[in-house]
Amino acid sequence: MTADDRRIVVIGAGVVGLSVGYSLTRRGAKNVVITDRDHVAAGSSALSVGMVETQFFDPVDVHARVIGREMIDRLVVEHELHFVRNGFLRPTTKNEHVELFERSVKVQRDFGVEDARVLTAREVADVAPPVDVSNVVAGLWRPSDGYLDGYLYASLLARLTTSSGGKLAQQHRLVGAEKSSAGSWRLSFDGKPTMEADVVVNAAGPWADSVAEILGSSVEVKPERHQAVTIELGSAPDWRLPCVVEYVPGSSEDGLSLRHEGTHQLFACLHNERSVYPRTDPTECNPRADEAFIEAIAELVMDRYPSLDECGLGHGWAGLYPMTPDGYPIVGSASGDPSLVHVVGGGGSGIQLSTAMGEVGADWILDGKSNLLTNGERWHPERASLASISS
């Protein structure tokens, strides 16, 4: 039996699981099924604010996001994926960040990104007029970055995967798994027929640890609840806000994030790429934003964007980040078992990282290893930096 003929079952039909399925079918795997406890993009993928950018400092982080941008750019041309290139800006009020920003530009150049640069405070005001730049010293900027709709992106990946021969099994909640002495799997689903598999892929996002337990394994992923809210602008302003994220990678402090949505709204949230929030049971996640969060956003927006003081706050929502202890995804075979591959832990960057996660996961399935990323050991499931996550 060749790798292409093996029965591969992917658990999770968010952007990560679908990226695994798309990579596998595009590379010739003939028997791929992607299952989901609900439906395509029913979890975090559709709740994302959808920012896509490459403004990081570490070569692994930049490389993975460049791979994601290359995929998105290809899908824009070949399949009319709607991607809004309104630019991505990281402003800072700290002089010590300027050197980091300059390093990011250099690293991005190494991976073919030519339009990233460091802006002065005056230039920050030019590209993002509502931002109060009185204390801003610089900004990390790439004009061709932007955002997309997570649900539409996942839906396109689903169509491409099925058109390449893959199958979708929606409303299939995994409830049991048995492994034979020969190494194959029998997977049980709530109210559905069982499935036989030679390889199982855990791409269950916030449910990754519970799915791993069903599969007799474990994975260091903690579901964390994060929230967002709309800002109602009233009449359409004469400016267009780029994606503006105050968070500087590596920090444990939340950063205010805003981007335009349509002509009359902004999306606002607090972003963090470190595991600093308590664990949330995915089955008990309140989908509505808390009043305290909405009030905190209102205060931050008033402080950072004083010209928006008369705008109103609209509806808020909440979703889950699948976080790992060191902030890197976990992709690879579990305990050296090639029949079980984890592709999990994209945190709040699942859409950006999904292409690289899917490619690396497919490498492990088809080749037993992956050399795609610079210093790809950072994503290895048995790396030393994966310590136990506390509740």
Side-chain angles (χ1 to χ4, degrees):
M1 180 182 292
T2 66
D4 286 356
D5 292 324
R6 286 180 298 170
R7 300 162 297 180
I8 304 170
V9 175
V10 180
I11 310 297
V15 290
V16 172
L18 291 164
S19 293
V20 176
Y22 179 49
S23 182
L24 287 169
T25 55
R26 190 163 52 88
R27 291 162 63 176
K30 300 175 182 177
N31 198 343
V32 178
V33 180
I34 303 172
T35 71
D36 198 273
R37 61 186 293 124
D38 200 335
H39 56 78
V40 167
S44 299
S45 296
L47 298 172
S48 168
V49 297
M51 295 184 189
V52 178
E53 42 89 18
T54 58
Q55 310 301 308
F56 278 72
F57 314 136
D58 181 87
V60 177
D61 291 330
V62 174
H63 190 186
R65 286 165 173 80
V66 168
I67 291 170
R69 267 302 305 274
E70 289 172 349
M71 169 67 82
I72 288 169
D73 291 344
R74 182 171 68 82
L75 295 181
V76 168
V77 173
E78 297 179 3
H79 299 280
E80 298 183 345
L81 173 68
H82 184 60
F83 178 59
V84 180
R85 292 184 177 89
N86 64 330
F88 185 96
L89 172 70
R90 290 193 194 276
T92 184
T93 59
K94 298 180 179 180
N95 287 312
E96 58 264 33
H97 288 159
V98 177
E99 184 179 350
L100 287 174
F101 287 0
E102 291 172 346
R103 183 193 309 168
S104 173
V105 171
K106 181 181 183 303
V107 173
Q108 291 182 75
R109 293 281 192 278
D110 292 341
F111 290 104
V113 176
E114 299 296 334
D115 59 338
R117 63 190 182 98
V118 179
L119 304 182
T120 65
R122 180 180 293 276
E123 290 171 324
V124 168
D126 289 340
V127 301
V131 176
D132 180 2
V133 298
S134 57
N135 294 321
V136 171
V137 296
L140 182 57
W141 168 249
R142 186 183 181 192
S144 63
D145 281 337
Y147 67 90
L148 49 71
D149 182 290
Y151 177 77
L152 294 179
Y153 184 47
S155 298
L156 174 57
L157 289 175
R159 292 198 301 273
L160 293 175
T161 302
T162 54
S163 66
S164 299
K167 296 182 176 63
L168 282 174
Q170 302 181 84
Q171 296 184 330
H172 275 63
R173 182 171 67 89
L174 183 71
V175 295
E178 297 178 2
K179 192 173 182 183
S180 73
S181 58
S184 62
W185 294 88
R186 179 183 291 271
L187 305 176
S188 302
F189 300 89
D190 187 18
K192 304 291 184 179
T194 60
M195 291 186 189
E196 303 290 334
D198 300 300
V199 179
V200 179
V201 181
N202 178 8
W207 287 268
D209 58 348
S210 59
V211 166
E213 184 176 0
I214 292 172
L215 296 168
S217 181
S218 63
V219 66
E220 295 286 3
V221 173
K222 182 176 75 173
E224 292 185 1
R225 184 171 177 267
H226 287 251
Q227 305 171 76
V229 66
T230 61
I231 297 174
E232 306 297 333
L233 299 175
S235 58
D238 58 3
W239 44 262
R240 180 84 176 173
L241 191 70
C243 302
V244 183
V245 178
E246 295 181 10
Y247 180 82
V248 174
S251 173
S252 60
E253 299 179 358
D254 287 337
L256 178 64
S257 302
L258 270 75
R259 73 159 174 83
H260 237 104
E261 173 66 13
T263 57
H264 295 75
Q265 283 186 332
L266 303 176
F267 281 174
C269 63
L270 297 177
H271 185 69
N272 199 314
E273 287 157 9
R274 309 299 296 178
S275 180
V276 297
Y277 285 80
R279 178 185 296 271
T280 297
D281 184 339
T283 63
E284 297 178 358
C285 179
N286 182 357
R288 291 181 172 274
D290 304 332
E291 287 299 323
F293 165 80
I294 295 175
E295 292 173 4
I297 286 287
E299 291 180 6
L300 287 172
V301 171
M302 289 278 289
D303 180 53
R304 311 305 205 264
Y305 299 80
S307 64
L308 302 181
D309 61 346
E310 295 185 1
C311 297
L313 292 177
H315 73 281
W317 70 96
L320 294 168
Y321 283 11
M323 303 298 296
T324 63
D326 59 6
Y328 286 101
I330 298 171
V331 185
S333 296
S335 301
D337 179 2
S339 74
L340 175 57
V341 175
H342 296 303
V343 187
V344 296
S349 300
I351 288 177
Q352 302 179 47
L353 297 175
S354 59
T355 298
M357 291 175 70
E359 292 285 352
V360 173
D363 286 347
W364 275 89
I365 296 162
L366 299 177
D367 304 325
K369 62 179 181 178
S370 180
N371 298 313
L372 176 67
L373 294 177
T374 302
N375 197 7
E377 289 297 306
R378 293 278 183 89
W379 287 17
H380 197 283
E382 296 176 348
R383 59 188 183 264
S385 55
L386 287 178
S388 179
I389 301 176
S390 59
S391 299

